[in-house]
Amino acid sequence: KMPVIGMGSAPDFTCKKDTKEAIIEAIKQGYRHFDTAAAYGSEQALGEALKEAIQLGLVTRQELFVTSKLWVTENHPHLVLPALQKSLK
């Protein structure tokens, strides 16, 4: 089951290192659901944090849920697929 409560990764004008550290700490505290969006600029830091947490044995990939959003400026038929592919990187 997907956790109802998740951690958002919208920027608060901190650096990516802070975002990564916050996500790893959230995993240690029990968070398993993380929310992001390409427009936030936090997808890479989130991915790096999740990879590190898995390597450290804090969590397995099967326990994690990551949600994202297709931004309104990319909500045009010819932009959807490229935007989703970029987000998944």
Side-chain angles (χ1 to χ4, degrees), residues 1 5 12 14-15 18 22 25 33 35-36 41 52-53 58 64 79:
K1 294 182 179 181
I5 297 174
D12 60 357
T14 61
C15 69
D18 292 339
E25 184 59 34
H33 176 196
D35 178 68
T36 188
E52 185 173 323
L58 299 174
L64 297 171
L79 298 176

Side-chain angles (χ1 to χ4, degrees), residues 18-30:
D18 292 339
T19 300
K20 182 178 171 183
E21 290 174 2
I23 292 165
I24 291 172
E25 184 59 34
I27 289 171
K28 290 177 182 177
Q29 298 301 319

Side-chain angles (χ1 to χ4, degrees), residues 35-89:
D35 178 68
T36 188
Y40 297 170
S42 62
E43 290 179 320
Q44 182 175 346
L46 174 61
E48 290 172 5
L50 297 181
K51 181 178 179 180
E52 185 173 323
I54 291 167
Q55 289 173 341
L56 291 170
L58 299 174
V59 70
T60 65
R61 175 60 185 101
Q62 292 74 23
E63 296 175 276
L64 297 171
F65 293 85
V66 179
T67 55
S68 190
K69 291 159 233 46
L70 177 66
W71 215 248
V72 69
T73 57
E74 296 170 332
N75 192 14
H76 303 282
H78 67 285
L79 298 176
V80 172
L81 189 56
L84 295 176
Q85 290 170 332
K86 180 180 175 188
S87 186
L88 289 171
K89 284 184 183 181

